[in-house]
Amino acid sequence: MNVKDAIENRRAYRSLAEIKITEELINDLGTAAQLMPSCFNKQPWRFVFVYKDPQLERMKNEVLSEGNLWAKKASMIIAVFSKKEFDCVIKEREYYLYDTGMAVGSLLLRATEMGLIAHPIAGYNPSKAREVLNIPSEYNVINLIIIGKKDPIIPDNFTSFQLESEKNRPPRKPLKEFVFHNTFSS
Ligand SMILES: Cc1cc2nc3c(=O)[nH]c(=O)nc-3n(C[C@H](O)[C@H](O)[C@H](O)COP(=O)(O)O)c2cc1C
């Protein structure tokens, strides 16, 4: 699969089936993140790949928000965390979220290329996640990534919104709303 196809095929699907988690898979996804650029090569991203109980079970039962119960079918949950001090701070510009986001973007595309679903979520309890995963409080738990493969049979407890976004990609802004040529115009 080329990059264009991976970009087009990547979707935040919620209908998940089980996959086997191997060290090879974790290293592959980790490498996709590792090779991304960062300010002064500071590499601020940190990941806990959670695939064994009791941690996985606790993430599902204690950490996920009500709206993300579909993610209980996850075969693995990746916790993404970092802190401001790990990356460049240039006056008002703090780069740790930006650089970590780029690393995650690459990981999502690599997962897509491998035929997996990698669905980032913000709906979870970060302090509970820190407690379950032993992440000190000074870290910002930025997101969780839900890993599995697509189950073509959509569970019947999905909301109409979830059903619709399973079938069709949620619409995007047209390019003219965010791509400007030579000068910005609002
Ligand atoms: C930072 C972030 C937080 C998100 N949080 C959630 C979430 O809590 N629950 C959920 O079901 N999807 C979540 N999503 C997925 C988005 O809803 C999804 O990417 C968006 O609707 C576009 O759909 P697509 O990725 O399939 O193109 C999140 C995505 C991102 C990047």
Side-chain angles (χ1 to χ4, degrees):
M1 189 181 282
N2 62 34
V3 177
K4 190 169 191 285
D5 290 340
I7 291 168
E8 283 170 1
N9 287 337
R10 185 214 56 79
R11 282 292 315 278
Y13 289 118
R14 298 179 177 86
S15 177
L16 298 179
E18 199 176 339
I19 58 160
K20 187 171 155 39
I21 302 299
T22 62
E23 196 173 335
E24 192 186 7
L25 168 64
I26 292 168
N27 289 341
D28 203 320
L29 295 176
T31 303
Q34 180 185 42
L35 296 180
M36 290 309 277
S38 58
C39 187
F40 269 95
N41 197 24
K42 284 179 178 278
Q43 306 165 66
W45 46 77
R46 302 288 184 272
F47 304 98
V48 179
F49 290 79
V50 189
Y51 55 98
K52 279 191 177 157
D53 293 337
Q55 290 87 351
L56 183 60
E57 202 58 33
R58 290 192 66 195
M59 291 296 284
K60 291 177 180 179
N61 293 329
E62 300 173 36
V63 175
L64 294 177
S65 301
E66 197 73 16
N68 283 328
L69 297 183
W70 56 268
K72 286 193 171 198
K73 291 263 180 74
S75 300
M76 177 161 69
I77 297 177
I78 308 172
V80 181
F81 59 109
S82 183
K83 54 179 160 180
K84 187 172 88 177
E85 297 73 24
F86 280 173
D87 208 334
C88 302
V89 178
I90 307 171
K91 295 187 179 163
E92 75 280 14
R93 287 173 283 144
E94 297 174 356
Y95 281 98
Y96 80 110
L97 295 173
Y98 181 85
D99 289 347
T100 301
M102 282 200 288
V104 167
S106 175
L107 185 156
L108 299 184
L109 293 181
R110 177 64 184 140
T112 303
E113 184 179 47
M114 289 191 283
L116 304 179
I117 302 308
H119 182 150
I121 62 166
Y124 57 91
N125 181 331
S127 45
K128 258 284 170 205
R130 273 195 290 268
E131 180 194 318
V132 171
L133 304 179
N134 204 22
I135 298 172
S137 61
E138 66 265 25
Y139 288 90
N140 183 355
V141 181
I142 301 161
N143 78 319
L144 302 180
I145 307 172
I146 305 303
I147 302 287
K149 72 174 182 199
K150 181 152 176 55
D151 188 342
I153 301 159
I154 301 172
D156 50 18
N157 62 352
F158 270 28
T159 64
S160 54
F161 165 78
Q162 289 172 335
L163 259 181
E164 174 56 26
S165 43
E166 210 64 18
K167 289 179 190 150
N168 299 304
R169 188 194 286 279
R172 296 304 205 258
K173 294 182 167 107
L175 288 185
K176 66 176 167 40
E177 281 191 28
F178 63 93
V179 175
F180 304 96
H181 292 245
N182 305 310
T183 52
F184 175 60
S185 51
S186 51

